[in-house]
Amino acid sequence: MRMEIDPADERAFGKLSRRLQDGFQRWAAARGLAVDPFVVGLVLDYKGRYADGHLGCWIPADLRDMLCEWFPPKATMDDETIEQTVPTVAAFIDYLASSGLLTDVSAPPDELKAALEKLAPTFRAYMADPARFGPAKSIATAMMAQGVDLTDSDAVDRFIGDFNAGRLGKPEQLLPVLESLASAPLPPVRLAPEEELRAAAGSAPLVARLGRFVAWLGEGRRLTQAGNLTVADGKELLGVLGIADVTDARVQERLARVRSAADLAEIGLVTSLATRAGLARVRRGRLVSTRRGRSLAGQPLEVWERVLEALADLGPLGVDWAGAWRPFWVEFLDSGTRDLLVALYQADEPVPLEDLAASAWEEVERVFDLGEDPRQLELWRTGVARDVERSVRRLEELGAVQCTAPAEPPGGPGGPGGGVVASDRSPETTAGEGTRVVLTPLGTWVVNRRLREGGTDAPVVGELAGAGVDTLIRRCADYDPDAATEETRAWVAARGQRAAVEIAEFARGADDPADRLLAFKTLDVVGLDAADVVRSLRDVPRLRPLAAVWLVEHGLEERSSLDPRDVGALMVDTA
């Protein structure tokens, strides 16, 4: 049975997944083992759709990523299923091994089951922590707490109706979701043309590096028993990717001490991102490129989006600390990567990096029991600030954010000489004073896309061109002046000569003085072409003051034509 698939090939995955699930259930039944088929389905979903696509290749790192990073935000389970998960995964490993389906490059079954046993307490704790739930799981968990059968669509609809009507109060599991939905309306954004986005995606440094990596793979590269590239290939790749000058004597001296490609953090980053994003996969003990990876040049925007998702899933910090001791806050900061992007999206100006670091430290203090030793607290605070900057710089490499900072000393952040071996895991970086962070057009595009896919009202300038005049005027009331003007111009261009007439009709029917004032501000965008329509509005008593002032302001009437009574009425109406 072929156990490796392209993660993009849904049909092949579905067929293989069903065969494995059926085979496992027969195997377990013959041995009298109590296993949960639902769990096995999730295991295969993780490996086939989110990981490397090789359903028969498992190492302890895969199990940790699946149980502690993927299951908690995505898998909705009752307590019984949670308790059954680790035993079921252990039995599935035995099934693969006994059926000859566990590949040679996998870790031995005993090593995998020992890793499962060590992960079990963390897995159970994470599955019970609402802070680690994704929005969909938060809602599903709240339903289960209310006794809703998630397979009963009518019951689900009733829950949603009761919740929207306020009859359920605020279930504890939904508080994080409710807090995010209750935030201020998102600002309208301008999206760059697709051609510009594609060019930016293809030229992003990290994507360009992945492109060189895929090309370097060629017909494939042999992996070690631990699933890593060979040391020789790792060293070669440092030069191919431009990470370090491998001809430099100092770099060569440090590379001489490397015993595993896993010690080269930047190599691990590229390899992990490539496999997670479906650009490469393991095949018969070799790392090979996929069809998606080879199509990078032709589909840069699509590939870029998958790489960003892979980076957010793996964590900008987690990929650096893979296989090594890591500070206790790393996973916590990594879990907030998508929240960081949304926060930057909501900001109306570049955000100081110091503010991001301070906010992250406040959250770390809130979540963890840190004690009261001032020297230890300051050490940790500095470490968090450093890692916030590392996360931001990683996103900058991908082209999702841009940092503006004071001039750096010659040689850049690494000082004179530039490049260093990527296994250095503690660069002396802190949240530099004056550095500000803002989303790039690519970052704005992808966050807007994700928000809208999730049902959030995330307006885009220009999308109201086909809307009714009432929608246009009321939506633009929340826009900044430049965005409102741009949106209205697009709407006027689409309406043509009817624009002024429709705005006037809205003004005639508006009972709220604020709506009437907004209508005349909208007529400002139409300009002198609206003159005749505005003159006709002087026949409407409550619109006469606004129409008279509008005509004077546009140079169509003398100021002396203003009736003092109209000016007084206007002042009262708009007070």
Side-chain angles (χ1 to χ4, degrees):
M1 185 187 304
R2 181 178 178 181
M3 296 290 287
E4 52 192 347
I5 56 151
D6 186 331
D9 192 340
E10 284 289 332
R11 183 175 180 182
F13 167 74
K15 183 177 180 180
L16 179 56
S17 177
R18 287 191 294 273
R19 288 185 63 186
L20 287 172
Q21 290 184 66
D22 291 345
F24 173 61
Q25 289 183 54
R26 290 194 298 270
W27 178 89
R31 289 158 178 77
L33 298 177
V35 297
D36 193 322
F38 172 71
V39 171
V40 178
L42 289 176
V43 168
L44 294 171
D45 276 351
Y46 160 77
K47 205 67 161 72
R49 290 193 169 105
Y50 294 90
D52 58 14
H54 201 312
L55 306 187
C57 181
W58 291 88
I59 58 177
D62 293 328
L63 298 175
R64 189 188 187 291
D65 184 53
M66 177 180 72
L67 292 177
C68 299
E69 302 296 335
W70 191 78
F71 270 40
K74 295 183 181 293
T76 302
M77 300 177 174
D78 56 25
D79 291 343
E80 182 179 351
T81 304
I82 291 173
E83 288 299 322
Q84 192 67 26
T85 295
V86 169
T88 296
V89 176
F92 184 65
I93 289 170
D94 281 337
Y95 161 69
L96 293 177
S98 65
S99 304
L101 300 176
L102 197 65
T103 66
D104 293 339
V105 295
S106 293
D110 288 345
E111 181 181 338
L112 292 172
K113 289 190 290 184
L116 280 172
E117 186 175 349
K118 292 176 66 175
L119 289 169
T122 302
F123 164 71
R124 288 193 290 268
Y126 283 10
M127 289 298 288
D129 182 3
R132 295 181 179 273
F133 297 176
K137 180 176 176 179
S138 295
I139 294 172
T141 304
M143 290 183 185
M144 291 170 62
Q146 296 284 330
V148 177
D149 180 356
L150 298 183
T151 64
D152 184 342
S153 59
D154 291 336
V156 171
D157 288 344
R158 283 195 299 272
F159 175 91
I160 294 173
D162 289 343
F163 176 75
N164 289 336
R167 290 189 288 269
L168 297 179
K170 294 185 177 181
E172 182 179 351
Q173 296 88 345
L174 279 181
L175 287 179
V177 179
L178 293 173
E179 289 170 0
S180 66
L181 293 179
S183 59
L186 292 171
V189 296
R190 298 167 181 81
L191 299 184
E194 183 174 337
E195 183 178 348
E196 181 180 326
L197 294 172
R198 290 172 63 84
S203 62
L206 193 50
V207 170
R209 188 176 295 174
L210 284 166
R212 293 196 296 273
F213 174 75
V214 169
W216 174 83
L217 285 176
E219 297 299 316
R221 299 281 175 158
R222 183 176 64 83
L223 297 176
T224 66
Q225 277 293 113
N228 301 315
L229 292 169
T230 65
V231 173
D233 278 347
K235 293 177 179 179
E236 177 186 338
L237 196 51
L238 285 174
V240 170
L241 300 182
I243 295 170
D245 180 3
V246 293
T247 65
D248 185 278
R250 292 173 300 174
V251 174
Q252 290 178 350
E253 181 181 352
R254 301 174 79 170
L255 286 176
R257 299 194 294 269
V258 173
R259 294 293 177 263
S260 169
D263 295 331
L264 303 171
E266 289 291 331
I267 299 303
L269 165 71
V270 172
T271 304
S272 297
L273 284 179
T275 53
R276 189 69 168 226
L279 309 182
R281 61 190 175 101
V282 177
R283 181 178 183 183
R284 298 191 180 95
R286 299 174 69 81
L287 188 62
V288 301
S289 61
T290 63
R291 184 166 60 248
R292 179 181 292 121
R294 294 188 292 273
S295 70
L296 192 157
Q299 298 179 310
L301 191 57
E302 294 82 353
V303 171
W304 182 91
E305 189 174 5
R306 289 189 67 92
V307 172
L308 177 63
E309 287 299 307
L311 183 63
D313 287 340
L314 293 168
L317 299 172
V319 290
D320 282 348
W321 292 94
W325 172 88
R326 61 179 67 188
F328 63 84
W329 59 76
V330 164
E331 292 178 0
F332 178 73
L333 294 184
D334 275 346
S335 69
T337 300
R338 291 180 175 86
D339 293 336
L340 169 63
L341 293 172
V342 173
L344 293 172
Y345 182 94
Q346 291 175 303
D348 56 3
E349 60 183 8
V351 178
L353 183 55
E354 289 175 298
D355 289 357
L356 295 177
S359 177
W361 175 242
E362 288 178 3
E363 287 300 299
V364 169
E365 285 190 300
R366 181 182 64 82
V367 172
F368 298 96
D369 182 5
L370 303 181
E372 299 180 358
D373 183 340
R375 288 177 297 180
Q376 184 67 72
L377 289 173
E378 179 58 22
L379 181 65
W380 285 337
R381 187 197 65 77
T382 302
V384 168
R386 175 202 62 205
D387 281 346
V388 167
E389 180 166 11
R390 291 175 67 165
S391 293
V392 168
R393 296 297 181 185
R394 204 54 100 185
L395 291 168
E396 186 178 34
E397 278 189 279
L398 188 53
V401 307
Q402 180 181 11
C403 296
T404 58
E408 295 172 339
V420 295
V421 178
S423 56
D424 292 345
R425 299 183 185 274
S426 55
E428 296 299 325
T429 57
T430 56
E433 183 177 355
T435 300
R436 293 178 177 270
V437 188
V438 66
L439 287 182
T440 62
L442 264 177
T444 299
W445 167 79
V446 76
V447 175
N448 179 268
R449 177 182 170 92
R450 287 289 180 264
L451 289 170
R452 292 166 76 97
E453 287 176 349
T456 300
D457 183 14
V460 174
V461 173
E463 68 181 351
L464 297 180
V469 63
D470 54 340
T471 300
L472 170 77
I473 290 175
R474 292 186 174 121
R475 288 289 295 273
C476 284
D478 295 325
Y479 289 13
D480 67 76
D482 289 343
T485 299
E486 187 175 342
E487 187 72 72
T488 303
R489 281 176 179 159
W491 184 88
V492 169
R495 286 296 192 277
Q497 295 181 345
R498 284 283 306 166
V501 174
E502 291 187 32
I503 298 169
E505 289 173 355
F506 173 85
R508 290 176 186 274
D511 294 323
D512 188 336
D515 285 343
R516 297 197 290 269
L517 181 60
L518 288 171
F520 277 86
K521 287 184 177 294
T522 306
L523 287 168
D524 285 342
V525 178
V526 180
L528 297 182
D529 289 342
D532 290 342
V533 170
V534 173
R535 287 191 176 98
S536 72
L537 295 178
R538 290 184 297 186
D539 297 335
V540 182
R542 63 183 181 181
L543 298 179
R544 185 176 62 244
L546 286 166
V549 170
W550 191 95
L551 292 167
V552 169
E553 288 180 342
H554 287 77
L556 299 175
E557 297 285 352
E558 296 295 330
R559 185 168 297 275
S560 59
S561 68
L562 290 175
D563 188 323
R565 290 172 298 178
D566 288 340
V567 176
L570 182 60
M571 293 176 65
V572 171
D573 209 19
T574 58

